[in-house]
Amino acid sequence: MEKLAIHGGVPVRETPLTYGKQYIDEADIEAVANVLRSPLITSGPQIQILEENLCRITGAKYAVAVSNGTAALHVACLAAGIHEGDEVITTPMTFAASANCALYCGAKPVFADIDPETYNISPASIREHITENTKAIVAVDFTGQAVELDEIQQICKEYNLILIEDAAHSLGTTYNGCSVGSIADMTAFSFHPVKTVTGGEGGAVLTNNKELFNKLILFRSHAITRDASQMVHPTGEGWYYEQVDLGYNYRLTDFQAALLSSQLSKLEKFSLRRKEIVKMYDEGFSQIPEVTVQKEIAESDTTRHLYILRFNLNMLNASRREIFDALWAENIHCNVHYIPVYYHPYYQKLGYAKGLCPNAEKIYEEIITMPLYYSMTTKDVADVICAVKKVIFNVKME
Ligand SMILES: Cc1ncc(COP(=O)(O)O)c(C=O)c1O
């Protein structure tokens, strides 16, 4: 069949729109500069201030700032005591870090399928994958929408599992009125620049459990302690410290922490604007039968990190690849989230076969991520909707 020319001509926009980007103001720059002028640029006073801010915002009892979201997931797995022989259930519809954290500990990631409408991990599929070796669940709040926490917590209670919520996308989201960060055994955040707030890089683990908190603190910094109560052979000498386990250097710098605190002071307005954009998109796209938007659950008041559009390809005379390329030609620099984790060659080499999670695999073939970030103007949003309409008009089946 001859290919349709679905792009070309004058693009909807002259300047490209990326799918996500940070928003940095003068107050952020000043906050970083102030730390750079100070004597302590790593592990200084700003770390504690950031941790206090995260606790205040989410209602969690304890926060441990780390160098990135991947480190947050890794220290959470270490604190959970995950080791060789254990299985950790997670979703394939995520960034690889959500599963890699289990591999770092010598454990096996086990992929449960997703709900075909919310794209979050399905509690029913979690149940099907529990074995006597299951130790934890890494549940990802995909695009910012909270997973079905009530049901997943119930599963954890029944089978004595630890719940690690991968909230890399969901800072600012609440579930039944409680902030993400204050609910799971441990919640891992990422502060990468496309996320709602950024430190350049950065991450944090939040928990309400003192014992887990103490372990997180240790693993963040080589498992070295100066606290006599944690030592094997305390000597009382002022210079003395002990390494009591195998930890890492996952420390955040003080200037990143200062940037993050400054960014967090804008979380409410960031969150509101993201919600406004999502509303405009939902309204615009609801008029196009050839696309489906992500279903929202009533329990989650979502600060959306990604906006995913599913193309109903059986109504269209084009592949996802052609639609993607056509949107780029319109200067809409969309993206795709995510390639199922076990499609990656490394996971294939480990023996994960395609076909494990049919919902995730099917949905992956049909999704494209639209631009979504705080500083998008209403005109930018309208341009995206217009570009999608234009591309669809060109490839619609009559
Ligand atoms: C769902 C999810 N988990 C974990 C991470 C890892 O975070 P980081 O890039 O800060 O290491 C990401 C990063 O994009 C993510 O999207």
Side-chain angles (χ1 to χ4, degrees), residues 24-78:
I24 302 287
D25 63 14
E26 285 307 312
D28 294 331
I29 294 167
E30 190 60 23
V32 173
N34 284 341
V35 175
L36 292 177
R37 290 187 199 104
S38 78
L40 286 174
I41 61 170
T42 190
S43 300
Q46 291 298 328
I47 301 292
Q48 198 185 336
I49 293 172
L50 168 63
E51 291 170 343
E52 284 166 6
N53 282 332
L54 287 167
C55 288
R56 182 179 45 75
I57 287 167
T58 61
K61 281 200 185 138
Y62 309 102
V64 178
V66 291
S67 46
N68 53 62
T70 306
L73 287 166
H74 187 190
V75 288
C77 286
L78 291 167

Short mmCIF file of all heavy atoms in Angstrom, two decimals, residues 24-78:
data_model
loop_
_atom_site.label_atom_id
_atom_site.label_comp_id
_atom_site.label_asym_id
_atom_site.label_seq_id
_atom_site.Cartn_x
_atom_site.Cartn_y
_atom_site.Cartn_z
N ILE A 24 13.01 27.51 36.02
CA ILE A 24 13.96 28.05 37.01
C ILE A 24 13.80 29.56 37.03
O ILE A 24 13.87 30.20 35.98
CB ILE A 24 15.43 27.71 36.61
CG1 ILE A 24 15.63 26.19 36.49
CG2 ILE A 24 16.43 28.32 37.58
CD1 ILE A 24 15.67 25.41 37.77
N ASP A 25 13.57 30.13 38.25
CA ASP A 25 13.46 31.59 38.33
C ASP A 25 14.65 32.18 39.09
O ASP A 25 15.54 31.45 39.53
CB ASP A 25 12.10 32.00 38.92
CG ASP A 25 11.92 31.51 40.36
OD1 ASP A 25 12.93 31.10 40.98
OD2 ASP A 25 10.77 31.53 40.85
N GLU A 26 14.64 33.50 39.23
CA GLU A 26 15.78 34.18 39.87
C GLU A 26 15.96 33.73 41.32
O GLU A 26 17.09 33.65 41.82
CB GLU A 26 15.60 35.71 39.81
CG GLU A 26 15.86 36.29 38.42
CD GLU A 26 17.21 35.90 37.84
OE1 GLU A 26 18.23 36.01 38.54
OE2 GLU A 26 17.24 35.45 36.67
N ALA A 27 14.86 33.43 42.01
CA ALA A 27 14.95 32.98 43.40
C ALA A 27 15.69 31.63 43.47
O ALA A 27 16.50 31.41 44.39
CB ALA A 27 13.54 32.84 44.00
N ASP A 28 15.47 30.78 42.49
CA ASP A 28 16.18 29.49 42.44
C ASP A 28 17.69 29.73 42.27
O ASP A 28 18.52 29.12 42.93
CB ASP A 28 15.70 28.65 41.25
CG ASP A 28 14.24 28.20 41.38
OD1 ASP A 28 13.77 28.03 42.50
OD2 ASP A 28 13.59 28.03 40.33
N ILE A 29 18.00 30.64 41.36
CA ILE A 29 19.41 30.93 41.06
C ILE A 29 20.11 31.52 42.29
O ILE A 29 21.21 31.13 42.66
CB ILE A 29 19.52 31.86 39.82
CG1 ILE A 29 18.99 31.09 38.58
CG2 ILE A 29 20.94 32.38 39.60
CD1 ILE A 29 18.74 31.94 37.35
N GLU A 30 19.40 32.43 42.96
CA GLU A 30 19.92 33.06 44.17
C GLU A 30 20.16 32.01 45.26
O GLU A 30 21.19 32.04 45.95
CB GLU A 30 18.89 34.11 44.63
CG GLU A 30 19.31 35.05 45.73
CD GLU A 30 20.53 35.89 45.37
OE1 GLU A 30 20.80 36.09 44.17
OE2 GLU A 30 21.23 36.31 46.32
N ALA A 31 19.24 31.07 45.39
CA ALA A 31 19.35 30.03 46.42
C ALA A 31 20.61 29.19 46.19
O ALA A 31 21.35 28.88 47.13
CB ALA A 31 18.11 29.13 46.41
N VAL A 32 20.87 28.86 44.92
CA VAL A 32 22.07 28.07 44.60
C VAL A 32 23.33 28.91 44.84
O VAL A 32 24.29 28.45 45.47
CB VAL A 32 22.01 27.58 43.13
CG1 VAL A 32 23.32 26.91 42.72
CG2 VAL A 32 20.84 26.62 42.93
N ALA A 33 23.30 30.17 44.37
CA ALA A 33 24.47 31.04 44.50
C ALA A 33 24.83 31.24 45.98
O ALA A 33 26.01 31.24 46.34
CB ALA A 33 24.20 32.37 43.82
N ASN A 34 23.83 31.37 46.82
CA ASN A 34 24.09 31.57 48.25
C ASN A 34 24.86 30.40 48.85
O ASN A 34 25.78 30.59 49.65
CB ASN A 34 22.78 31.75 49.03
CG ASN A 34 22.20 33.13 48.81
OD1 ASN A 34 22.92 34.04 48.39
ND2 ASN A 34 20.91 33.28 49.06
N VAL A 35 24.49 29.19 48.44
CA VAL A 35 25.21 28.02 48.97
C VAL A 35 26.64 27.99 48.42
O VAL A 35 27.59 27.69 49.16
CB VAL A 35 24.48 26.70 48.63
CG1 VAL A 35 25.30 25.50 49.07
CG2 VAL A 35 23.10 26.67 49.27
N LEU A 36 26.78 28.34 47.15
CA LEU A 36 28.13 28.32 46.56
C LEU A 36 29.06 29.33 47.24
O LEU A 36 30.28 29.14 47.24
CB LEU A 36 28.05 28.57 45.05
CG LEU A 36 27.38 27.45 44.25
CD1 LEU A 36 27.28 27.83 42.77
CD2 LEU A 36 28.11 26.13 44.39
N ARG A 37 28.49 30.36 47.83
CA ARG A 37 29.31 31.35 48.57
C ARG A 37 29.57 30.90 50.00
O ARG A 37 30.28 31.54 50.74
CB ARG A 37 28.58 32.70 48.59
CG ARG A 37 28.54 33.38 47.25
CD ARG A 37 27.97 34.80 47.37
NE ARG A 37 27.52 35.23 46.06
CZ ARG A 37 26.24 35.29 45.68
NH1 ARG A 37 25.28 34.96 46.53
NH2 ARG A 37 25.93 35.67 44.47
N SER A 38 28.95 29.80 50.43
CA SER A 38 29.05 29.36 51.83
C SER A 38 30.14 28.31 51.99
O SER A 38 30.63 27.75 51.00
CB SER A 38 27.70 28.78 52.26
OG SER A 38 27.56 27.48 51.74
N PRO A 39 30.54 28.02 53.23
CA PRO A 39 31.65 27.05 53.41
C PRO A 39 31.28 25.60 53.06
O PRO A 39 32.15 24.84 52.66
CB PRO A 39 32.00 27.16 54.89
CG PRO A 39 30.90 27.93 55.54
CD PRO A 39 30.11 28.63 54.49
N LEU A 40 30.01 25.20 53.22
CA LEU A 40 29.64 23.80 53.01
C LEU A 40 28.84 23.64 51.72
O LEU A 40 27.73 24.15 51.62
CB LEU A 40 28.78 23.30 54.17
CG LEU A 40 29.49 23.03 55.50
CD1 LEU A 40 28.48 22.69 56.58
CD2 LEU A 40 30.49 21.89 55.34
N ILE A 41 29.41 22.95 50.74
CA ILE A 41 28.63 22.80 49.51
C ILE A 41 28.06 21.39 49.34
O ILE A 41 27.28 21.13 48.45
CB ILE A 41 29.40 23.27 48.26
CG1 ILE A 41 30.67 22.48 48.03
CG2 ILE A 41 29.68 24.76 48.33
CD1 ILE A 41 31.31 22.77 46.68
N THR A 42 28.50 20.44 50.16
CA THR A 42 27.78 19.15 50.17
C THR A 42 27.44 18.80 51.60
O THR A 42 28.17 19.16 52.53
CB THR A 42 28.59 18.03 49.48
OG1 THR A 42 27.74 16.89 49.33
CG2 THR A 42 29.83 17.62 50.25
N SER A 43 26.33 18.12 51.78
CA SER A 43 25.85 17.71 53.11
C SER A 43 25.95 18.83 54.15
O SER A 43 26.44 18.62 55.26
CB SER A 43 26.63 16.49 53.61
OG SER A 43 26.45 15.44 52.72
N GLY A 44 25.49 19.98 53.78
CA GLY A 44 25.44 21.11 54.72
C GLY A 44 24.03 21.29 55.25
O GLY A 44 23.21 20.36 55.16
N PRO A 45 23.74 22.48 55.75
CA PRO A 45 22.44 22.72 56.40
C PRO A 45 21.24 22.61 55.46
O PRO A 45 20.13 22.35 55.91
CB PRO A 45 22.56 24.15 56.93
CG PRO A 45 23.70 24.77 56.19
CD PRO A 45 24.62 23.66 55.80
N GLN A 46 21.47 22.80 54.15
CA GLN A 46 20.33 22.78 53.22
C GLN A 46 19.70 21.39 53.09
O GLN A 46 18.55 21.26 52.70
CB GLN A 46 20.77 23.28 51.83
CG GLN A 46 21.10 24.76 51.79
CD GLN A 46 19.89 25.63 52.14
OE1 GLN A 46 18.75 25.28 51.85
NE2 GLN A 46 20.17 26.74 52.78
N ILE A 47 20.48 20.36 53.37
CA ILE A 47 19.94 19.00 53.25
C ILE A 47 18.82 18.81 54.28
O ILE A 47 17.72 18.36 53.95
CB ILE A 47 21.05 17.93 53.47
CG1 ILE A 47 22.17 18.10 52.44
CG2 ILE A 47 20.47 16.52 53.45
CD1 ILE A 47 21.81 17.78 51.00
N GLN A 48 19.11 19.21 55.51
CA GLN A 48 18.08 19.06 56.56
C GLN A 48 16.87 19.94 56.27
O GLN A 48 15.72 19.52 56.47
CB GLN A 48 18.68 19.39 57.92
CG GLN A 48 17.82 18.83 59.03
CD GLN A 48 18.32 19.23 60.40
OE1 GLN A 48 19.51 19.53 60.59
NE2 GLN A 48 17.41 19.26 61.36
N ILE A 49 17.13 21.14 55.76
CA ILE A 49 16.00 22.04 55.43
C ILE A 49 15.12 21.40 54.36
O ILE A 49 13.90 21.39 54.45
CB ILE A 49 16.54 23.43 54.99
CG1 ILE A 49 17.19 24.14 56.18
CG2 ILE A 49 15.43 24.29 54.38
CD1 ILE A 49 17.93 25.42 55.83
N LEU A 50 15.77 20.82 53.33
CA LEU A 50 15.01 20.15 52.27
C LEU A 50 14.20 18.99 52.85
O LEU A 50 13.00 18.82 52.54
CB LEU A 50 15.96 19.63 51.19
CG LEU A 50 15.33 18.67 50.16
CD1 LEU A 50 14.24 19.37 49.36
CD2 LEU A 50 16.40 18.11 49.22
N GLU A 51 14.84 18.20 53.70
CA GLU A 51 14.14 17.04 54.27
C GLU A 51 12.94 17.50 55.12
O GLU A 51 11.87 16.89 55.06
CB GLU A 51 15.13 16.18 55.06
CG GLU A 51 16.13 15.50 54.12
CD GLU A 51 17.31 14.80 54.81
OE1 GLU A 51 17.58 15.08 55.99
OE2 GLU A 51 17.96 13.98 54.15
N GLU A 52 13.13 18.59 55.85
CA GLU A 52 12.01 19.13 56.65
C GLU A 52 10.89 19.61 55.73
O GLU A 52 9.72 19.40 55.99
CB GLU A 52 12.49 20.27 57.56
CG GLU A 52 13.26 19.75 58.76
CD GLU A 52 14.04 20.84 59.50
OE1 GLU A 52 13.89 22.04 59.14
OE2 GLU A 52 14.81 20.47 60.40
N ASN A 53 11.28 20.26 54.63
CA ASN A 53 10.26 20.75 53.68
C ASN A 53 9.47 19.59 53.08
O ASN A 53 8.25 19.67 52.93
CB ASN A 53 10.92 21.55 52.54
CG ASN A 53 11.29 22.95 52.99
OD1 ASN A 53 10.65 23.51 53.87
ND2 ASN A 53 12.31 23.52 52.39
N LEU A 54 10.18 18.52 52.72
CA LEU A 54 9.48 17.36 52.13
C LEU A 54 8.51 16.76 53.14
O LEU A 54 7.38 16.37 52.78
CB LEU A 54 10.50 16.31 51.66
CG LEU A 54 11.27 16.69 50.38
CD1 LEU A 54 12.47 15.76 50.17
CD2 LEU A 54 10.34 16.63 49.15
N CYS A 55 8.91 16.68 54.40
CA CYS A 55 8.02 16.14 55.44
C CYS A 55 6.82 17.07 55.64
O CYS A 55 5.69 16.60 55.75
CB CYS A 55 8.77 15.98 56.77
SG CYS A 55 9.95 14.63 56.72
N ARG A 56 7.08 18.36 55.67
CA ARG A 56 5.98 19.32 55.87
C ARG A 56 4.96 19.23 54.73
O ARG A 56 3.76 19.18 54.95
CB ARG A 56 6.56 20.74 55.98
CG ARG A 56 5.55 21.84 56.24
CD ARG A 56 6.20 23.20 56.36
NE ARG A 56 7.19 23.47 55.33
CZ ARG A 56 6.92 23.77 54.07
NH1 ARG A 56 5.67 23.87 53.67
NH2 ARG A 56 7.89 23.99 53.19
N ILE A 57 5.47 19.16 53.51
CA ILE A 57 4.58 19.15 52.34
C ILE A 57 3.77 17.86 52.25
O ILE A 57 2.60 17.87 51.88
CB ILE A 57 5.42 19.36 51.05
CG1 ILE A 57 5.87 20.81 50.98
CG2 ILE A 57 4.64 18.99 49.79
CD1 ILE A 57 6.95 21.07 49.95
N THR A 58 4.39 16.74 52.59
CA THR A 58 3.71 15.45 52.39
C THR A 58 3.07 14.90 53.65
O THR A 58 2.21 14.01 53.57
CB THR A 58 4.72 14.38 51.90
OG1 THR A 58 5.71 14.23 52.92
CG2 THR A 58 5.36 14.77 50.59
N GLY A 59 3.53 15.36 54.81
CA GLY A 59 3.02 14.79 56.06
C GLY A 59 3.77 13.53 56.48
O GLY A 59 3.42 12.90 57.47
N ALA A 60 4.84 13.17 55.73
CA ALA A 60 5.65 12.01 56.14
C ALA A 60 6.46 12.37 57.38
O ALA A 60 6.78 13.53 57.61
CB ALA A 60 6.59 11.61 55.01
N LYS A 61 6.82 11.35 58.18
CA LYS A 61 7.59 11.62 59.40
C LYS A 61 9.06 11.86 59.10
O LYS A 61 9.71 12.69 59.73
CB LYS A 61 7.47 10.43 60.35
CG LYS A 61 6.17 10.40 61.11
CD LYS A 61 6.30 9.53 62.33
CE LYS A 61 4.96 9.42 63.02
NZ LYS A 61 4.66 8.08 63.48
N TYR A 62 9.61 11.09 58.14
CA TYR A 62 11.05 11.18 57.87
C TYR A 62 11.32 11.29 56.37
O TYR A 62 10.62 10.67 55.58
CB TYR A 62 11.77 9.93 58.38
CG TYR A 62 11.46 9.57 59.80
CD1 TYR A 62 10.55 8.55 60.09
CD2 TYR A 62 12.04 10.26 60.86
CE1 TYR A 62 10.24 8.21 61.39
CE2 TYR A 62 11.74 9.94 62.17
CZ TYR A 62 10.84 8.91 62.43
OH TYR A 62 10.54 8.59 63.72
N ALA A 63 12.36 12.04 56.04
CA ALA A 63 12.77 12.15 54.63
C ALA A 63 14.30 12.02 54.56
O ALA A 63 15.00 12.54 55.43
CB ALA A 63 12.33 13.48 54.04
N VAL A 64 14.78 11.33 53.55
CA VAL A 64 16.22 11.18 53.34
C VAL A 64 16.52 11.62 51.91
O VAL A 64 16.10 10.96 50.95
CB VAL A 64 16.66 9.71 53.56
CG1 VAL A 64 18.15 9.55 53.30
CG2 VAL A 64 16.31 9.26 54.98
N ALA A 65 17.23 12.73 51.77
CA ALA A 65 17.56 13.24 50.43
C ALA A 65 18.74 12.46 49.87
O ALA A 65 19.71 12.18 50.60
CB ALA A 65 17.90 14.72 50.52
N VAL A 66 18.66 12.10 48.60
CA VAL A 66 19.76 11.36 47.95
C VAL A 66 20.03 11.98 46.57
O VAL A 66 19.35 12.92 46.15
CB VAL A 66 19.43 9.85 47.82
CG1 VAL A 66 19.41 9.16 49.17
CG2 VAL A 66 18.12 9.62 47.08
N SER A 67 21.00 11.40 45.88
CA SER A 67 21.51 12.05 44.67
C SER A 67 20.59 11.97 43.46
O SER A 67 20.70 12.78 42.55
CB SER A 67 22.89 11.48 44.32
OG SER A 67 22.87 10.07 44.41
N ASN A 68 19.71 10.99 43.40
CA ASN A 68 18.75 10.90 42.29
C ASN A 68 17.67 9.87 42.63
O ASN A 68 17.75 9.20 43.67
CB ASN A 68 19.45 10.53 40.96
CG ASN A 68 20.30 9.28 41.08
OD1 ASN A 68 19.78 8.20 41.35
ND2 ASN A 68 21.59 9.41 40.90
N GLY A 69 16.69 9.75 41.76
CA GLY A 69 15.56 8.85 42.03
C GLY A 69 15.97 7.38 42.00
O GLY A 69 15.40 6.55 42.71
N THR A 70 16.95 7.06 41.17
CA THR A 70 17.44 5.68 41.09
C THR A 70 18.10 5.29 42.41
O THR A 70 17.87 4.19 42.94
CB THR A 70 18.45 5.56 39.93
OG1 THR A 70 17.82 6.06 38.74
CG2 THR A 70 18.90 4.14 39.72
N ALA A 71 18.90 6.21 42.96
CA ALA A 71 19.53 5.97 44.26
C ALA A 71 18.46 5.82 45.34
O ALA A 71 18.59 4.98 46.25
CB ALA A 71 20.48 7.12 44.60
N ALA A 72 17.40 6.61 45.22
CA ALA A 72 16.30 6.54 46.21
C ALA A 72 15.69 5.13 46.20
O ALA A 72 15.47 4.53 47.26
CB ALA A 72 15.24 7.59 45.88
N LEU A 73 15.45 4.60 45.00
CA LEU A 73 14.89 3.25 44.90
C LEU A 73 15.87 2.21 45.42
O LEU A 73 15.48 1.24 46.09
CB LEU A 73 14.51 2.94 43.45
CG LEU A 73 13.28 3.67 42.92
CD1 LEU A 73 13.20 3.55 41.40
CD2 LEU A 73 12.00 3.11 43.56
N HIS A 74 17.15 2.41 45.13
CA HIS A 74 18.16 1.44 45.58
C HIS A 74 18.26 1.42 47.11
O HIS A 74 18.19 0.34 47.72
CB HIS A 74 19.52 1.76 44.94
CG HIS A 74 20.57 0.72 45.20
ND1 HIS A 74 21.89 0.91 44.89
CD2 HIS A 74 20.50 -0.52 45.76
CE1 HIS A 74 22.58 -0.18 45.24
NE2 HIS A 74 21.75 -1.05 45.77
N VAL A 75 18.36 2.59 47.72
CA VAL A 75 18.47 2.58 49.21
C VAL A 75 17.18 2.08 49.85
O VAL A 75 17.22 1.43 50.90
CB VAL A 75 18.90 3.94 49.83
CG1 VAL A 75 20.35 4.25 49.55
CG2 VAL A 75 18.00 5.09 49.44
N ALA A 76 16.04 2.32 49.19
CA ALA A 76 14.78 1.81 49.73
C ALA A 76 14.80 0.27 49.71
O ALA A 76 14.40 -0.38 50.69
CB ALA A 76 13.59 2.35 48.93
N CYS A 77 15.29 -0.31 48.61
CA CYS A 77 15.38 -1.78 48.53
C CYS A 77 16.36 -2.31 49.57
O CYS A 77 16.10 -3.34 50.21
CB CYS A 77 15.81 -2.22 47.13
SG CYS A 77 14.50 -2.05 45.91
N LEU A 78 17.48 -1.60 49.76
CA LEU A 78 18.46 -2.04 50.76
C LEU A 78 17.85 -1.98 52.16
O LEU A 78 18.00 -2.91 52.96
CB LEU A 78 19.72 -1.17 50.70
CG LEU A 78 20.59 -1.32 49.44
CD1 LEU A 78 21.61 -0.19 49.34
CD2 LEU A 78 21.30 -2.68 49.43
#
